[in-house]
């Protein structure tokens, strides 16, 4: 009796499990074939994909151009595609080998080893050209094709600025819940401009060569190879950046040649308030998250570059008397420690005397405790520098990914502490600003006090070159410095270079006249050989009389005697001049 009951239970369990399996099978094959699981996987499409060999020529994603219309991403190079089934055919191998400039044996070897279509590019055939593609296609034999393929490497130029794409099905579905037609393997932007402009760059349709195979990899329907492409004159879209490809390349070459391992440089077009070149180091490596950080958009201790703010406040508030001198044998706290002698205000700025600016800051703070942050705002140093505004349904679209804003005071109580005021005056304590903000401050001074947002993208255009949307120039709101203050700042910034004791005297023999300010900030870190590490800056603009460019160079975590800041700044200015006259 007990045995009979157990048998019934076993049979019942078996039937229940069998029923559940039938339900699951029905879900898979009948009800949810095109939207299976939370990821909305198209099972029919995936089944077809398993029986299809394909060569992706272009993923259909939008691309980036430089300011001259040259491709920064989505570049196409000639390539030859050989399908594996050619090995069993009597195909014109000799003609193909002659066109490609390689032996028949080499082609046969490539095919014998192949389990998937073989792609021959300039990496394997140096002389591959447009003519090669044309001649291969003139053979008109199924299985060998000349095409133009997008480079599959990540962009090596401006990698931090342009950013990266990756496959992330969960992020794709959460970010675009209404775009169920996007395959789960679609790449989306994760950093840089790829991230901020991702919605405009999403592919409409990719371009492929494909053919169907049986279980052994042989052609299922003969040697019929299908070409699929987007027949649309408007998509994919292109983002025309303000970057200059030649200048960007030169800046990266200079930074690397000099050996700057951490930090970078940013160059602005002052009139257009746009980025011509932006370099961050270390190089971006997708396998190392820390390398993806763009230091040009991160707040960093500015050191004496921040004395520009104190100088502006002193000029505006008329805090310096005619012929007044400062005892620069004293350190920032007013104690014996330096040996620069008695200096005027202009000399103090040129030689970066700490005591002058800490004493001025203390005097100014007694009259107005908000004077430092107010002047920082007037100089565009505490607002995000990058372009932001309304773009279609986004009310707060930002061109720069993960751009941060500067900070002056960490604790309002510090405004009543003498040593805290002194440290703040020389760009230490809690003062942190981004190199892009500093570059924008220099551009603001060079323009006579006019504050503008900085652009990295000029417009978005359709595939046929017509404009979809323009990014208009936008001013930064709030108060600005007056014309007189700007002129006086221009004078002292120039004296940093022209003075024989100035901290920028190295730049005197450049083909452009440079104005600017150096900066050295302690990091609180030590090197392996027990040397103090600093953040070393030089920020300026040129030509001094008729400013066109603002440039900031930053070398991070470096011993003072090993800093490459001035060498990099020097070489970039020289290269910009060469680029302009050629």
């Amino acid at each position: 009796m007990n045995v009979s009951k157990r048998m019934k239970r076993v049979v019942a369990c078996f039937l229940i499990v069998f029923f559940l399996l039938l339900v699951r099978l029905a879900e898979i094959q009948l009800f949810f074939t095109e939207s299976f699981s939370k990821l909305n996987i198209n099972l029919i499409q995936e089944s077809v994909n398993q029986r299809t060999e394909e060569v992706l020529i272009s993923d259909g994603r939008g691309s980036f151009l430089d300011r001259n219309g040259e491709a920064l991403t989505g570049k196409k190079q000639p390539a030859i595609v050989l399908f594996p089934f050619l090995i069993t055919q009597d195909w014109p191998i000799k003609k193909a080998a002659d066109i490609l400039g390689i032996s028949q044996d080499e082609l046969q070897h490539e095919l014998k080893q192949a389990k998937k279509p073989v792609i021959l590019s300039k990496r394997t055939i140096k002389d591959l050209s447009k003519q090669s593609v044309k001649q291969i296609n003139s053979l008109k034999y199924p299985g060998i094709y000349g095409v133009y393929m997008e480079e599959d490497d990540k962009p090596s130029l401006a990698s931090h600025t342009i950013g990266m794409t990756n496959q992330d099905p969960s992020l794709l579905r959460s970010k675009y819940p209404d775009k169920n037609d996007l395959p789960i393997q679609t790449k989306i932007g994760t950093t840089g401009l790829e991230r901020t402009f991702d919605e405009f760059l999403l592919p409409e349709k990719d371009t492929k060569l494909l053919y169907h195979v049986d279980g052994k990899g042989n052609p299922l329907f003969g040697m019929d190879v299908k070409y699929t492409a987007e027949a649309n004159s408007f998509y994919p879209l292109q983002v025309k950046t303000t970057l200059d490809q030649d200048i960007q390349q030169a800046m990266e070459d200079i930074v690397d040649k000099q050996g700057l391992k951490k930090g970078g440089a940013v160059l602005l077009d002052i009139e257009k308030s746009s980025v011509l070149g932006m370099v961050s180091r270390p190089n971006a490596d997708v396998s190392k998250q820390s390398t993806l950080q763009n230091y040009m958009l991160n707040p960093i201790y500015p050191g004496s570059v921040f004395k520009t703010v104190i100088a502006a406040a002193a000029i505006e508030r008329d805090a310096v008397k005619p012929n007044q001198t400062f005892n620069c044998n004293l350190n920032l706290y007013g104690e014996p420690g330096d040996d620069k002698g008695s200096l005027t205000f202009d000399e103090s700025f040129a030689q970066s005397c700490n005591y002058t600016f800490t004493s001025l800051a203390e005097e100014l703070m007694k009259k107005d405790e908000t004077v430092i942050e107010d002047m920082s705002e007037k100089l565009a140093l505490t607002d995000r520098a990058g372009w932001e505004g309304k773009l279609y349904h986004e009310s707060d679209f930002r061109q720069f990914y993960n751009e941060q804003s500067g900070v002056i005071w960490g604790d309002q109580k510090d405004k009543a502490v003498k040593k805290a005021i002194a440290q703040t005056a020389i760009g230490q304590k809690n003062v942190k600003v981004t190199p892009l903000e500093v570059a924008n401050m220099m551009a603001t001074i060079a323009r006579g006090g006019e504050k503008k947002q900085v652009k990295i993208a000029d417009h978005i255009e359709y595939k046929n070159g017509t404009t979809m949307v323009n990014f208009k120039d936008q001013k930064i709101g709030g108060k600005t410095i007056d014309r007189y203050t700007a002129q006086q700042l221009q004078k002292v910034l120039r004296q940093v270079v022209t003075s024989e004791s100035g901290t920028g005297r190295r730049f005197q023999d450049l083909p452009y006249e440079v104005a600017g300010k150096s900066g050295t900030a302690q990091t609180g870190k030590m090197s392996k050989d027990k040397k103090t590490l600093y953040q070393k800056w030089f920020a300026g603009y040129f030509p001094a009389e008729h400013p066109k460019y603002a440039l900031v160079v930053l070398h991070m975590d470096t011993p003072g005697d090993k800093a490459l800041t001035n060498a990099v700044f020097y070489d970039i200015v020289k290269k910009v001049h060469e680029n302009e006259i050629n």
Side-chain angles (χ1 to χ4, degrees):
M1 191 71 175
N2 291 335
V3 175
S4 178
K5 286 183 178 180
R6 281 198 298 269
M7 286 295 293
K8 288 180 179 179
R9 288 174 182 170
V10 169
V11 171
C13 290
F14 176 79
L15 290 173
I16 291 170
V17 170
F18 184 71
F19 177 74
L20 292 174
L21 287 173
L22 285 175
V23 171
R24 186 61 169 167
L25 189 61
E27 285 183 340
I28 294 172
Q29 299 221 351
L30 297 177
F31 303 122
F32 304 112
T33 55
E34 297 184 8
S35 58
F36 181 68
S37 83
K38 293 180 180 180
L39 297 178
N40 293 321
I41 299 171
N42 189 323
L43 295 175
I44 296 175
Q45 183 62 50
E46 293 302 314
S47 175
V48 171
N49 291 343
Q50 285 184 344
R51 302 192 306 272
T52 304
E53 288 287 359
E54 63 180 42
V55 177
L56 184 66
I57 296 173
S58 169
D59 63 5
R61 184 174 175 83
S63 58
F64 293 95
L65 309 174
D66 81 343
R67 66 173 182 162
N68 299 311
E70 297 295 324
L72 291 169
T73 62
K75 295 179 182 178
K76 292 181 170 60
Q77 298 291 343
I80 307 300
V81 181
L82 305 171
F83 282 84
F85 59 70
L86 285 173
I87 198 69
T88 63
Q89 307 297 316
D90 183 21
W91 65 291
I93 186 171
K94 185 179 184 305
K95 290 183 179 179
D98 290 342
I99 292 169
L100 301 176
I102 60 177
S103 68
Q104 296 182 50
D105 289 342
E106 287 179 88
L107 280 179
Q108 287 283 26
H109 178 73
E110 291 283 356
L111 287 171
K112 284 179 181 178
Q113 302 294 320
K115 293 183 179 179
K116 292 186 176 182
V118 175
I119 300 172
L120 302 177
S121 65
K122 284 194 172 183
R123 292 178 183 174
T124 50
I125 303 176
K126 292 183 179 180
D127 295 330
L128 197 60
S129 64
K130 292 181 179 179
Q131 185 67 17
S132 306
V133 170
K134 185 177 180 181
Q135 289 178 332
I136 286 293
N137 286 333
S138 69
L139 298 176
K140 295 182 179 179
Y141 194 88
I144 178 168
Y145 303 91
V147 296
Y148 293 93
M149 298 183 67
E150 283 186 6
E151 296 176 341
D152 55 5
D153 291 340
K154 299 293 181 184
S156 57
L157 195 64
S159 57
H160 290 89
T161 306
I162 298 296
M164 296 187 176
T165 60
N166 282 298
Q167 289 183 9
D168 191 331
S170 297
L171 178 60
L172 178 70
R173 293 305 181 217
S174 63
K175 193 172 180 180
Y176 304 110
D178 299 329
K179 294 183 179 290
N180 295 325
D181 56 326
L182 285 174
I184 58 171
Q185 66 268 30
T186 301
K187 290 183 177 181
I188 60 174
T190 53
T191 63
L193 296 177
E194 292 279 13
R195 177 71 173 259
T196 55
F197 286 91
D198 188 63
E199 188 171 355
F200 297 93
L201 302 173
L202 287 174
E204 294 292 314
K205 187 178 180 181
D206 53 23
T207 301
K208 298 176 182 177
L209 287 173
L210 53 86
Y211 74 107
H212 301 290
V213 296
D214 60 21
K216 295 182 179 180
N218 297 317
L220 193 61
F221 304 117
M223 293 187 294
D224 182 31
V225 175
K226 186 178 180 182
Y227 177 82
T228 65
E230 176 61 64
N232 192 319
S233 60
F234 294 99
Y235 293 91
L237 298 175
Q238 301 173 121
V239 178
K240 191 169 186 180
T241 70
T242 64
L243 294 171
D244 184 296
Q245 191 163 190
D246 292 337
I247 289 176
Q248 178 71 33
Q249 185 67 67
M251 288 175 66
E252 297 201 18
D253 290 345
I254 289 167
V255 165
D256 293 337
K257 183 179 179 181
Q258 289 291 348
L260 195 154
K261 302 297 184 185
K262 187 176 182 182
V266 55
L267 179 71
L268 303 185
D269 180 314
I270 290 175
E271 182 183 355
K272 296 180 180 179
S273 191
S274 60
V275 177
L276 292 172
M278 181 182 284
V279 182
S280 182
R281 289 294 181 267
N283 280 306
D285 183 347
V286 71
S287 66
K288 298 178 182 177
Q289 190 67 28
S290 60
T291 66
L292 303 182
Q293 194 170 22
N294 188 343
Y295 284 115
M296 299 302 97
L297 305 178
N298 278 18
I300 296 161
Y301 294 118
S304 293
V305 170
F306 195 71
K307 289 174 184 172
T308 309
V309 174
I310 308 303
I315 293 167
E316 186 177 82
R317 303 294 178 96
D318 201 21
V320 181
K321 299 173 184 177
N323 303 318
Q324 182 179 355
T325 59
F326 300 84
N327 184 1
C328 290
N329 288 326
L330 303 178
N331 65 16
L332 71 160
Y333 302 123
E335 303 165 346
D338 285 340
D339 59 354
K340 295 181 180 179
S342 182
L343 301 177
T344 65
F345 174 76
D346 291 5
E347 291 170 338
S348 295
F349 193 83
Q351 297 183 40
S352 205
C353 169
N354 286 336
Y355 176 69
T356 301
F357 294 94
T358 58
S359 60
L360 284 171
E362 185 180 357
E363 181 184 335
L364 291 163
M365 289 283 290
K366 288 177 182 177
K367 298 176 181 179
D368 181 0
E369 68 172 14
T370 67
V371 63
I372 295 179
E373 61 259 46
D374 288 348
M375 183 52 67
S376 298
E377 183 182 351
K378 287 182 179 182
L379 289 172
L381 203 56
T382 54
D383 295 308
R384 281 186 299 270
W387 193 99
E388 54 186 71
K390 183 174 176 57
L391 181 63
Y392 293 111
H393 61 274
E394 287 196 48
S395 59
D396 189 25
F397 178 83
R398 297 176 186 171
Q399 289 192 355
F400 292 91
Y401 172 65
N402 206 24
E403 181 194 3
Q404 300 175 49
S405 57
V407 177
I408 307 302
W409 299 99
D411 188 336
Q412 293 297 309
K413 294 178 181 178
D414 286 344
K415 294 180 178 181
V417 180
K418 185 175 180 179
K419 284 193 173 182
I421 294 172
Q423 292 168 7
T424 300
I426 64 168
Q428 294 270 190
K429 188 60 177 174
N430 293 302
V431 181
K432 285 188 176 183
V433 290
T434 71
L436 183 61
E437 287 175 325
V438 173
N440 201 28
M441 175 180 74
M442 289 296 166
T444 297
I445 294 169
R447 285 193 294 261
E450 185 183 15
K451 296 190 299 183
K452 291 183 178 180
Q453 293 180 351
V454 179
K455 292 193 295 187
I456 186 69
D458 187 71
H459 63 266
I460 303 173
E461 61 183 41
Y462 292 107
K463 182 181 177 181
N464 61 11
T466 58
T467 299
M468 178 185 190
V469 60
N470 270 314
F471 293 101
K472 296 180 180 179
D473 292 347
Q474 294 188 157
K475 292 185 177 181
I476 296 175
K479 296 180 180 179
T480 60
I481 57 173
D482 58 35
R483 192 74 183 176
Y484 174 77
T485 300
Q487 289 172 344
Q488 293 304 303
L489 287 175
Q490 291 169 3
K491 185 183 78 168
V492 295
L493 287 166
R494 177 64 180 141
Q495 287 177 345
V496 169
V497 177
T498 58
S499 171
E500 290 307 313
S501 300
T503 56
R505 58 187 178 276
R506 176 174 181 180
F507 308 126
Q508 290 177 1
D509 65 343
L510 279 167
Y512 284 130
E513 293 183 341
V514 173
K517 184 73 186 78
S518 60
T520 302
Q522 293 186 3
T523 64
K525 303 175 185 177
M526 301 289 287
S527 65
K528 291 180 181 179
D529 54 356
K530 304 301 180 183
K531 288 186 177 181
T532 302
L533 298 179
Y534 299 93
Q535 319 288 34
K536 297 285 288 188
W537 298 69
F538 197 88
Y541 60 86
F542 55 93
E545 289 300 315
H546 303 286
K548 294 178 68 175
Y549 309 99
L551 173 63
V552 170
V553 176
L554 169 65
H555 191 176
M556 299 174 66
D557 298 343
T558 177
D561 60 346
K562 301 290 185 182
L564 300 166
T565 311
N566 287 357
V568 172
F569 192 99
Y570 186 99
D571 286 353
I572 291 176
V573 174
K574 194 173 179 181
K575 195 66 181 180
V576 170
H577 181 263
E578 290 175 4
N579 187 74
E580 191 167 271
I581 63 176
N582 290 334

